[in-house]
Amino acid sequence: MSLRVRPIQYTAHTEDWVALVTALGGERVRDDGDWQLFALAGGGVAIHGMPDGDPAVGRIELRFVVADLDAALRAVTPALIELGLSASVTTEDFGRYAAVTAADGQHVYLDENSDLVGRVARTGSGDLAPAEVLPLWYTEDVPGGARVLTALGLSTRIRSDSGEWVDLSAPGGGLLAVHGDARTGAVLSFEHPDVQALAERLGDAGIAADVVDENYGLSLRIANPDSPEDLRARIWVNQTQEDLYGYQRLG
């Protein structure tokens, strides 16, 4: 099963998001106006334009893409049943998808879609690698969130000793992390092997990015196109983690 991470970001500022993802090294796969699809280093991201004031603006959905939904469900259903969960299938004009609702109320989706098959962003200008998509799932139940993602076929990559962070890789490409928090929700973030160089490329595109030294490594902070003044809504780009003090690499 070639499950691939491809969240959807809903926005009232499509052009700004397109500029940001492009500067991160994303390669556009589809341009349907209010639906923009990008391939990244392994996963992808979709930008869905919405009218200003729509309640969906600023929200993301944790979504994966599979080429064959029926085959994917046959593969993951036994593990979901062990967790007391199930997948409900919906058919829309754009295709079919399955939804799984975790115990904390977070929805995770499998979309039947082949647009990203065989599409990976190429190395950009100056031989700088593209970023990788790394959406964050915030929850009080980090182990529970990780179990859901493992049931869907993801593999644990890095886990903090505190238990407040687990990130996982999808077999078809892309990353997803579960992060401890009092609230349940999701935000879009990314990972890159050289955030200093990436900050320069963003600056060349007219996008300001602050470099922050966290205890696990460097990270970028970028203004969110839908909430540019809200520091809490800033987009994070973490440097690929090499310092494992307080963490364990499991895959």
Side-chain angles (χ1 to χ4, degrees), residues 10 15 17 31-32 41 49 76 101 135 173 184 197 230 232 240:
Y10 294 91
E15 292 183 4
W17 269 104
D31 178 358
D32 293 339
V76 305
T101 303
T184 296
D230 187 352
R232 297 171 301 175
T240 304

Side-chain angles (χ1 to χ4, degrees), residues 32-50:
D32 293 339
D34 287 338
W35 178 260
Q36 304 280 330
L37 179 63
F38 288 85
L40 287 156
V45 61
I47 307 300
H48 195 332
M50 306 293 289

Side-chain angles (χ1 to χ4, degrees), residues 160-247:
S160 68
D161 294 342
S162 68
E164 292 298 295
W165 172 277
V166 180
D167 67 44
L168 305 94
S169 59
L175 304 167
L176 200 152
V178 187
H179 194 356
D181 200 279
R183 62 190 171 115
T184 296
V187 298
L188 185 59
S189 66
F190 301 88
E191 182 181 278
H192 193 271
D194 188 348
V195 297
Q196 294 274 20
L198 183 61
E200 293 181 12
R201 183 166 70 184
L202 287 162
D204 291 342
I207 300 171
D210 296 327
V211 181
V212 178
D213 191 354
E214 298 282 2
N215 58 8
Y216 52 80
L218 298 179
S219 182
L220 297 184
R221 303 289 190 274
I222 306 165
N224 188 312
D226 289 296
S227 306
E229 305 301 323
D230 187 352
L231 297 180
R232 297 171 301 175
R234 300 179 87 188
I235 308 303
W236 289 39
V237 183
N238 289 336
Q239 182 144 313
T240 304
Q241 190 168 348
E242 300 296 339
D243 182 356
L244 293 177
Y245 182 78
Y247 293 82

Side-chain angles (χ1 to χ4, degrees), residues 120-137:
V120 176
R122 295 162 290 190
T123 298
S125 59
D127 296 327
L128 188 62
E132 182 57 285
V133 66
L134 174 62
L136 305 183
W137 172 354

